Amino acid sequence: MNMRMRNIVAALCAVTLVALTGCMGSKSATSSGRGGEVTGVGGGRSFKEPAPYGMTMVKRGFLKMGIDQQDTLWGKQTPVKEISVDGFWMDETEVTNSKYKQFVFWVRDSILRERLADPAYGVDETYKITEDKNGDPVTPHLDWKKSLPRKPNEDELRAIESLYITNPVTGEKSLDASQLNYRYEIYDYTTAALRRNRLRPEERNLNTDVIIDPNEEVMISKDTAYIDDEGRIVRETINRPLSGPWDFLNTYIVNIYPDTTCWVNDFRNSDNEMYLRNYFSNPTYNDYPVVGVTWEQANAFCAWRTDYLLKGLGPEARYVQRYRLPTEAEWEYAARGKDGAEFPWENEDVKNGDGCFFANFKPDKGNYTKDGNLITSKVGIYSANTNGLFDMAGNVAEWTSTIFTEAGVDAMNDLNPQLEYKAAKEDPYGLKKKSVRGGSWKDPESYIRSAWRSWEYQNQPRSYIGFRCVRSIATSSSVKQKKR
């Protein structure tokens, strides 16, 4: 078992130990209580979760999900169901180019540090920490406190330039986007918790209608990935017998640079080269929603954002939930606002009495500019809904974590409904459909309703699809949203 596996198993054991015994320093079970009465033991200092930066709290509640009056104009049947969802934090706006650039630059700088520490370049091995202050060996990791060289020498320059390519026409150097790969690991606690996956066979038949032979070999599907000798990402789904808790650790490698060519590929016979060359790279568009990001890239951003947060926290990091994409139910519940409205505003019209539109969409056929915009708009320039969320209709449609099926919510539980499936590379494309919500700058009024359902393949980037993150609320003590 390697060092990382030991750390994961140790962490799982630590979580179990805390759950059983509480925190160190609390009263012991034998000394608590009076006169032999059971009064409970302390759980240590309570944790009050602060409002995450740029997020708003959506409190738990009830929703009649879907459209009661089916859309006869478009012939779309939308499943309807009464559901309840727990509270969560949600980004006030869609993730912007600026925020996604921070992710891209972090990946770039991590690769540069790896290469500067690589003996093959003969540069500076101190960019990687291999031992602690006492000289004891630790799992090698990058030293982010050590700055990148401002005036690189010949060896440093060779390491840095290995990440750039030269334009054969202009001679300009630019990042080699094909190298910007982010590797992350996700432990699948849900699958690990299923009784059929218990390591002790005698525990697999507790409270279940399906009798499992305790001697039957349990097969586990696990995602893994690696970079081959030619620098290509190879993703595999391994099916193997259950052997230990590390079988639920999935590894992903994702190239995270947005597909800037989506502006050309989405609109044939049109001149959109300006957006191809400017939309992500030009600071003018920093506060616009990032597009050209696949569902897989959006998940990688959530994983990086989580790790980035946890590194800045102390012991309380164990209470904080991961950033993730919203479920389809969470998205609709948040978009409808506190009154469950059809649109993220109070009435059924798409503009106010002064003729100003409530969202960025396509009001008429071919007239993209009637609402004041041609393509996307800056995030947050339209009014927020009653949950404090901006652009929940129009601007860009948004990825959810839910797999798309025609049955929709009918196939889900009515408590925190979700359908999740991690499609393997070899799976048919029908299993790679993910639900997309909210409509975009190119969609008509009917498509920007909160209940409208659409989909896209998880590996398909579009110029009209972006995303925002959510985070489950860590504790019930997070009652009031902090005002900024």
Side-chain angles (χ1 to χ4, degrees), residues 203-217:
E203 295 180 355
R204 296 173 189 164
N205 286 320
L206 296 175
N207 300 324
T208 179
D209 295 330
V210 180
I211 304 302
I212 302 173
D213 183 355
N215 297 317
E216 179 184 353
E217 193 172 55

Side-chain angles (χ1 to χ4, degrees), residues 66-96:
I67 304 173
D68 277 329
Q69 296 180 350
Q70 295 299 323
D71 194 334
T72 56
L73 177 61
W74 300 100
K76 187 77 172 180
Q77 295 295 313
T78 304
V80 178
K81 191 172 188 175
E82 295 180 348
I83 59 104
S84 296
V85 295
D86 208 341
F88 53 93
W89 300 104
M90 192 174 210
D91 280 334
E92 294 174 347
T93 70
E94 295 137 342
V95 172
T96 61

Side-chain angles (χ1 to χ4, degrees), residues 25-182:
S26 61
K27 292 182 179 179
S28 69
T30 55
S31 63
S32 299
R34 297 179 302 169
E37 297 289 348
V38 175
T39 61
V41 296
R45 185 166 59 91
S46 63
F47 170 65
K48 292 185 178 180
E49 182 179 18
Y53 178 81
M55 287 187 143
T56 186
M57 178 188 288
V58 181
K59 295 183 179 180
R60 64 188 180 189
F62 163 84
L63 170 69
K64 193 167 187 179
M65 187 175 171
I67 304 173
D68 277 329
Q69 296 180 350
Q70 295 299 323
D71 194 334
T72 56
L73 177 61
W74 300 100
K76 187 77 172 180
Q77 295 295 313
T78 304
V80 178
K81 191 172 188 175
E82 295 180 348
I83 59 104
S84 296
V85 295
D86 208 341
F88 53 93
W89 300 104
M90 192 174 210
D91 280 334
E92 294 174 347
T93 70
E94 295 137 342
V95 172
T96 61
N97 283 321
S98 178
K99 289 184 177 179
Y100 198 85
K101 280 180 187 176
Q102 186 175 352
F103 178 31
V104 170
F105 293 162
W106 186 95
V107 172
R108 177 201 63 186
D109 290 351
S110 67
I111 295 173
L112 287 176
R113 282 180 167 80
E114 287 282 358
R115 293 186 182 175
L116 288 168
D118 188 346
Y121 288 94
V123 186
D124 190 346
E125 295 183 15
T126 61
Y127 277 100
K128 186 171 286 188
I129 298 173
T130 57
E131 57 184 36
D132 61 19
K133 295 179 180 179
N134 298 322
D136 297 323
V138 296
T139 302
H141 59 279
L142 296 176
D143 184 1
W144 283 92
K145 293 182 180 179
K146 185 176 177 65
S147 300
L148 294 172
R150 292 188 176 184
K151 295 181 179 180
N153 58 37
E154 184 177 345
D155 289 333
E156 291 171 337
L157 188 62
R158 184 165 57 92
I160 293 171
E161 289 188 340
S162 68
L163 195 54
Y164 288 78
I165 55 177
T166 303
N167 187 306
V169 178
T170 65
E172 295 178 349
K173 292 184 182 296
S174 59
L175 272 174
D176 182 0
S178 66
Q179 298 188 53
L180 297 179
N181 301 322
Y182 178 65

Side-chain angles (χ1 to χ4, degrees), residues 189-250:
Y189 289 96
T190 299
T191 302
L194 296 176
R195 289 196 177 95
R196 65 172 297 276
N197 295 332
R198 297 291 172 86
L199 295 176
R200 297 175 62 185
E202 61 270 22
E203 295 180 355
R204 296 173 189 164
N205 286 320
L206 296 175
N207 300 324
T208 179
D209 295 330
V210 180
I211 304 302
I212 302 173
D213 183 355
N215 297 317
E216 179 184 353
E217 193 172 55
V218 175
M219 300 298 294
I220 293 296
S221 292
K222 172 178 176 173
D223 290 333
T224 188
Y226 63 92
I227 305 291
D228 67 14
D229 293 338
E230 297 181 3
R232 294 173 301 191
I233 298 174
V234 179
R235 178 186 168 189
E236 295 179 342
T237 300
I238 300 173
N239 296 304
R240 68 183 189 190
L242 175 64
S243 58
W246 49 87
D247 286 331
F248 305 102
L249 183 70
N250 298 286

